[in-house]
Amino acid sequence: KLFIKDLWFEQVPVRIYQPKVPSASQRRGVMFFHGGGWVFGSLETHEKLCRSIARESESVVVSVGYRLAPEHKYPAAYEDCLNATIHFMKNIEHYGVDPARIIICGDSAGGNLAAAVSQTLAGRSDLPKLRAQILIYPGLQALDFNLPSYQQNRGVPLLFRERAAFYVLQYLNGDASHMQEVLEGSHIPIDITLNYRKWVSPDNIPEKFKVRGYKPHVLLDCTTEVYETVKRICEPNLCPLLAEDAIVQQLPESFILTCEYDVLRDDGLLYKKRLEDNGVQVTWYHLEDGFHGIINSFNSDWLSFSSGKRGLDNIVNFLKSL
């Protein structure tokens, strides 16, 4: 049902999925960035998911094989995703895609990259305006690893709390030696942490998400030496939750999927609030019985979860509404 081909956009490998069935009008174009903590994942690991999205929503899907950490540190992955997206936007006529219906999508670390690329393109007047962004259990901040979801789900597969911090540091500078400081929150000076409290705070998480054993965390100060090595964590291209309101206000309609049993749940909830506070329309889908990575197992040969399929169906339905 699909034409699938591998190409290069600039210097970035991509795989394009195009429905074979003829279409009377131009199709939606979906840029897809895969998850894997910026360290793993490939065009292959998300092949089934991209095929499903292309087939079920009858959209053209472009999966991006961005460079991985720690060999390629931040901002390599972000730059690859951005450059591939701009290339696609500038050559849209070759793919039968409607320039008014370009959507950016990603899961986990790919959701982080999707949010960052959407923010960068929000202010560009020389390119088509994005129609929407789809963020599937995205990781959006590295300031606070003690949010309720990090405490409640610290030992829940597939993404443990320690792993989440490890991946961010691998992406940031290929060195996880300050992981302990990051986990306890002593990697950012208190004044900077307080400055971002308006956006990154347990106070912004609805009460019903705190009932499963959440304890408020004491703020710790940090040494100059530690902060020097990790200070780029405060850049919105790495932590999109920290973007200024002026950027967030320009973002397109958004779909956010979160899972209850996922350390990254609260990143999604905090971003949902930020988007809504800034007048952006948000469709939020929460998998009460979901865990991190579940969408990729919707039709796995060895282990399949019905809620993964439910999540995917909601993503497809959102796409069809655009």
Side-chain angles (χ1 to χ4, degrees):
K1 291 186 180 172
L2 299 170
F3 295 112
I4 302 177
K5 62 174 185 254
D6 288 349
L7 295 170
W8 293 82
F9 281 1
E10 311 300 323
Q11 271 86 53
V12 185
V14 299
R15 183 168 293 168
I16 301 197
Y17 304 81
Q18 289 175 284
K20 287 183 177 175
V21 55
S23 172
S25 57
Q26 294 175 309
R27 298 189 187 279
R28 281 174 227 91
V30 180
M31 294 298 299
F32 184 86
F33 311 144
H34 67 77
W38 306 278
V39 176
F40 308 107
S42 64
L43 298 175
E44 275 68 38
T45 57
H46 287 62
E47 165 92 18
K48 275 186 179 169
L49 180 56
C50 288
R51 277 193 209 182
S52 279
I53 293 172
R55 208 172 48 234
E56 309 282 325
S57 72
E58 295 188 354
S59 303
V60 174
V61 174
V62 181
S63 183
V64 179
Y66 57 84
R67 287 170 293 168
L68 298 175
E71 294 76 17
H72 302 283
K73 301 178 203 21
Y74 168 76
Y78 157 76
E79 286 175 346
D80 285 358
C81 291
L82 178 64
N83 292 337
T85 303
I86 291 172
H87 177 92
F88 183 61
M89 288 175 142
K90 286 182 172 171
N91 296 276
I92 205 92
E93 69 281 358
H94 302 316
Y95 307 103
V97 166
D98 179 352
R101 290 199 297 164
I102 299 169
I103 296 106
I104 294 192
C105 175
D107 68 314
S108 192
N112 166 283
L113 295 165
V117 168
S118 294
Q119 289 181 359
T120 304
L121 294 175
R124 292 277 297 253
S125 52
D126 57 325
L127 293 166
K129 202 164 163 41
L130 288 176
R131 178 63 186 86
Q133 58 173 348
I134 297 176
L135 311 178
I136 305 166
Y137 33 71
L140 300 169
Q141 61 86 31
L143 257 61
D144 190 348
F145 285 85
N146 292 284
L147 291 167
S149 61
Y150 269 109
Q151 293 188 21
Q152 295 159 345
N153 305 308
R154 59 193 315 143
V156 178
L158 302 171
L159 182 63
F160 302 120
R161 178 171 170 261
E162 274 76 17
R163 286 276 100 186
F166 175 78
Y167 292 143
V168 166
L169 288 169
Q170 288 293 302
Y171 178 39
L172 177 67
N173 49 27
D175 170 16
S177 58
H178 291 304
M179 198 164 101
Q180 202 43 52
E181 288 89 342
V182 170
L183 285 169
E184 65 187 26
S186 61
H187 61 307
I188 306 284
I190 285 184
D191 57 328
I192 294 176
T193 307
L194 289 173
N195 182 39
Y196 288 121
R197 263 283 156 101
K198 55 186 183 287
W199 300 329
V200 182
S201 164
D203 300 344
N204 294 344
I205 305 288
E207 286 306 314
K208 67 174 184 184
F209 291 103
K210 298 178 192 171
V211 290
R212 263 190 316 122
Y214 162 67
K215 292 187 178 59
H217 182 70
V218 180
L219 274 185
L220 299 167
D221 213 349
C222 110
T223 66
T224 318
E225 177 227 353
V226 171
Y227 180 58
E228 277 307 309
T229 60
V230 302
K231 64 181 175 196
R232 293 190 78 186
I233 269 180
C234 296
E235 292 181 14
N237 290 340
L238 182 67
C239 291
L241 199 46
L242 307 184
E244 292 299 324
D245 285 342
I247 302 284
V248 177
Q249 282 156 14
Q250 298 180 62
L251 288 170
E253 185 179 340
S254 305
F255 177 100
I256 298 178
L257 182 136
T258 52
C259 293
E260 180 60 33
Y261 299 99
D262 179 4
V263 289
L264 299 182
R265 179 196 72 200
D266 293 351
D267 284 25
L269 294 177
L270 290 172
Y271 204 46
K272 170 183 179 281
K273 182 179 188 315
R274 283 220 63 200
L275 290 165
E276 289 171 344
D277 287 351
N278 282 282
V280 177
Q281 189 181 335
V282 181
T283 301
W284 171 54
Y285 190 70
H286 184 62
L287 287 171
E288 293 284 354
D289 51 353
F291 55 84
H292 194 80
I294 197 168
I295 300 297
N296 232 17
S297 65
F298 69 96
N299 69 351
S300 151
D301 303 326
W302 55 277
L303 199 55
S304 193
F305 295 91
S306 60
S307 58
K309 178 77 175 84
R310 271 204 324 277
L312 180 61
D313 289 346
N314 271 275
I315 292 163
V316 168
N317 289 340
F318 176 75
L319 273 170
K320 285 177 165 172
S321 76
L322 302 172

